[in-house]
Amino acid sequence: MTVTATSVDRPDQLEPTPAPSRGTRLRRLVPAATAALSGVLLYVSFPPRPLWWLAMPAFALLGWVLRGRGWKAALGLGYLFGLGFLLPLLVWTGVEVGPGPWLALVVIEAVFVALVGVGVAAVSRLPGWPVWAAALWTAGEAARARAPFGGFPWGKIAFGQADGVFLPLAAVGGTPVLGFAVVLCGFGLYEAVRLALQWRHTREVRRSAAALALLSVAVPVVAAVAARPLVSDKAENGTVTVAAIQGNVPRLGLDFNAQRRAVLDYHARETLRLAAEVKAGNVTRPDFVLWPENSSDIDPFANPDAAAVIEDAAKAIGVPISVGGVVERDGKLYNEQILWDPVKGPTQTYDKRQVQPFGEYLPLRSLIGAINSEWTSMVRQDFSRGGKPGVFDVGGTEVGLATCYEAAFDWAVRDTVTHGAQLISVPSNNATFDRSEMTYQQLAMSRVRAVEHSRTVTVPVTSGVSAIIMPDGRITQKTGMFVADSLVQKVPLRSSETPATRMGILPEIALVLVAAGGLAWAIGAGVRGRRAQA
């Protein structure tokens, strides 16, 4: 039998596929643009703006662009969301060192968000998918807080909620539960809108799906209201009068410490001014004074002149001073808090445990040096880590210490409370970040920590913003930026532990297991579906 090819069988006779129209191309860009812009919307919800509620529509839009997507599309869309969120949020990391480190940090951190996007897309067709999706976001934050190089928790959703109605949930289960509630509410909002639109067009919606969507929105709000009794600023162990000193710096930027003696002198000068006000009867004498991180970058143990300046300030004010120093001991460098008594001199110390990569130590030093030798010169010697929780006994008052970067890490704040801290101090140095949003973002973290552990939190900073925060998260006093000032206030001491303090990491583990269960269910359902089709 002879077979004759027709014109249809000849490849050269096939009609070319028409190119997609301009409208079609634009429609294809809508999900990508929405993912990036919803990330920006999430950034706008963070301090210094009190627009915490924008986090919900941001996650609602993310749910819309990810629902039902394949893994490749979800990976890209999740990455765009991460870039939209983290690029503006972390721009302060490049204020003095240029855009290279900032962009590198964002590129790496956005990968975690992209992987979460894949997971959200996978669970998006499961019953009650907002729960699985919100748990996956929490799992992503847990991973970001641990890797690489010890983790980088900056940008946790909880840290954008210091002014929000969900804040009491920090006392229930810490930052994981607070963040989970916000994300759940956002995804639930999208699902409720989606089902409402479906009802409008088809008049058919499963009651169970509608109920789960409404519960996803309502339960976090109701839980936050129910948690309000856990938030209190009542004194349980009396009160103390605390002073936080902001001495200011002679110049902005990385070279602020080129005049290290001037920074020390500035803080001593502000303490002497406060001592004069106390002597004149204008200000109540504090029970102790808190100086910020790096207030004495000259090692007072090795330099008698620096020790003399601190000692004079302590004797003038007549109470112990917690001094932030850079100390070299046995050939190792430490970021250290030193309790300096006006009579006994230095009595207690705390060495910072969570040191900052690329700021206080340089990972992959040889590789980075080969790329850019200037970066290695910025961190000539790595700081060593301390090994014990920071709690100073100051005249019978237990003061917990979480130095600057440590405030972002759940464990570094919690274990000061479990070791007896009745109030918490977060001495910080923001002089290297100019007038960026960094100081406000860090201040919001301290507000969340105050509610999480029901403790007064003091934030003495070299150049602003210093603050005193009540156990209910309210800021009662704060300074301006790049001014010399002091804050003196009677604050409550508390010893009871919130559920978040008692449970520690357990809520986070539970949410990670929920995320893993949802992902396993989604993968199993996908495998069964493909087998059925085959």
Side-chain angles (χ1 to χ4, degrees):
M1 180 175 66
T2 303
V3 179
T4 304
T6 65
S7 61
V8 176
D9 296 319
R10 294 175 58 185
D12 60 337
Q13 296 295 320
L14 292 175
E15 294 184 5
T17 303
S21 66
R22 182 180 179 183
T24 301
R25 290 196 300 271
L26 289 175
R27 282 194 296 273
R28 290 176 180 175
L29 290 175
V30 168
T34 303
L37 290 174
S38 58
V40 174
L41 190 65
L42 181 59
Y43 155 70
V44 175
S45 75
F46 271 66
R49 295 158 296 277
L51 304 176
W52 57 271
W53 51 272
L54 287 178
M56 274 68 77
F59 280 102
L61 289 170
L62 181 64
W64 174 68
V65 298
L66 290 179
R67 187 174 186 276
R69 299 281 181 181
W71 73 268
K72 291 181 181 179
L75 187 70
L77 293 169
Y79 197 77
L80 288 172
F81 180 83
L83 291 179
F85 172 44
L86 295 171
L87 272 171
L89 184 80
L90 303 179
V91 68
W92 51 267
T93 60
V95 166
E96 295 296 334
V97 296
W102 162 49
L103 295 175
L105 175 64
V106 171
V107 164
I108 293 171
E109 293 298 309
V111 171
F112 290 91
V113 183
L115 295 174
V116 169
V118 174
V120 171
V123 302
S124 63
R125 295 196 182 279
L126 295 179
W129 72 268
V131 176
W132 313 114
L136 279 164
W137 184 272
T138 304
E141 288 189 339
R144 270 206 316 127
R146 290 166 174 82
F149 311 126
F152 188 75
W154 219 278
K156 272 190 169 186
I157 300 304
F159 296 149
Q161 297 296 309
D163 291 302
V165 297
F166 297 100
L167 182 60
L169 291 173
V172 176
T175 60
V177 168
L178 173 53
F180 171 79
V182 175
V183 180
L184 174 61
C185 199
F187 284 142
L189 177 63
Y190 161 66
E191 181 68 355
V193 171
R194 187 186 73 82
L195 293 176
L197 292 174
Q198 180 179 320
W199 167 258
R200 181 179 177 183
H201 288 95
T202 66
R203 298 295 175 179
E204 291 183 0
V205 170
R206 285 184 300 170
R207 291 183 179 180
S208 59
L212 287 172
L214 293 175
L215 286 173
S216 298
V217 177
V219 168
V221 176
V222 172
V225 173
R228 284 293 306 172
L230 295 175
V231 181
S232 172
D233 62 356
K234 180 181 178 181
E236 295 175 331
N237 306 103
T239 60
V240 293
T241 300
V242 60
I245 299 295
Q246 178 173 300
N248 204 8
V249 296
R251 63 181 72 167
L252 311 188
L254 288 175
D255 61 348
F256 85 95
N257 58 3
Q259 297 187 21
R260 295 180 298 168
R261 176 56 189 267
V263 175
L264 171 58
D265 288 343
Y266 280 17
H267 285 83
R269 181 192 306 167
E270 182 60 26
T271 306
L272 293 174
R273 188 197 65 78
L274 176 62
E277 290 289 305
V278 170
K279 186 176 181 180
N282 299 327
V283 179
T284 303
R285 184 182 301 277
D287 294 297
F288 52 86
V289 175
L290 302 170
W291 283 9
E293 177 189 34
N294 299 127
S295 48
S296 179
D297 273 354
I298 300 176
D299 185 349
F301 297 111
N303 296 273
D305 58 331
V309 171
I310 298 169
E311 187 169 337
D312 288 346
K315 287 181 177 179
I317 195 69
V319 297
I321 301 175
S322 179
V323 179
V326 174
V327 174
E328 187 171 351
R329 187 167 56 251
D330 300 326
K332 296 181 179 180
L333 207 60
Y334 294 93
N335 186 335
E336 188 167 87
Q337 290 292 311
I338 309 162
L339 186 65
W340 206 286
D341 187 87
V343 177
K344 301 177 182 178
T347 57
Q348 302 170 56
T349 60
Y350 165 65
D351 298 323
K352 187 176 182 179
R353 293 171 293 164
Q354 187 70 39
V355 294
Q356 183 181 353
F358 304 100
E360 293 172 307
Y361 80 99
L362 198 61
L364 310 174
R365 180 177 287 273
S366 59
L367 175 62
I368 291 173
I371 298 172
N372 190 330
S373 59
E374 290 184 5
W375 293 350
T376 57
S377 65
M378 292 178 186
V379 187
R380 292 186 178 87
Q381 182 179 352
D382 293 341
F383 278 82
S384 296
R385 294 174 172 83
K388 297 180 180 179
V391 181
F392 285 167
D393 183 348
V394 190
T397 299
E398 302 294 318
V399 181
L401 298 162
T403 306
C404 196
Y405 186 57
E406 292 183 321
F409 293 83
D410 295 347
W411 64 268
V413 181
R414 175 181 177 265
D415 68 1
T416 68
V417 179
T418 57
H419 281 78
Q422 297 167 300
L423 65 83
I424 300 168
S425 180
V426 183
S428 303
N429 172 28
N430 299 336
T432 55
F433 303 112
D434 206 340
R435 296 183 180 274
S436 69
E437 295 180 356
M438 182 270 186
T439 189
Y440 299 104
Q441 294 171 7
Q442 191 177 54
L443 186 59
M445 292 180 192
S446 296
R447 294 179 64 190
V448 172
R449 299 305 185 193
V451 174
E452 181 179 10
H453 300 295
S454 195
R455 295 292 188 272
T456 298
V457 177
T458 60
V459 187
V461 184
T462 51
S463 55
V465 174
S466 298
I468 294 178
I469 305 166
M470 290 293 99
D472 59 3
R474 289 179 300 116
I475 297 176
T476 53
Q477 289 192 63
K478 65 178 180 179
T479 69
M481 294 185 71
F482 295 101
V483 295
D485 204 351
S486 57
L487 306 174
V488 181
Q489 185 173 325
K490 181 182 290 186
V491 298
L493 298 177
R494 294 178 61 83
S495 58
S496 62
E497 293 186 350
T498 64
T501 306
R502 290 193 294 270
M503 290 190 291
I505 198 175
L506 292 179
E508 186 177 58
I509 292 175
L511 289 170
V512 170
L513 291 175
V514 170
L519 202 55
W521 184 7
I523 292 172
V527 170
R528 288 191 296 272
R530 286 191 293 273
R531 287 176 178 174
Q533 290 177 354

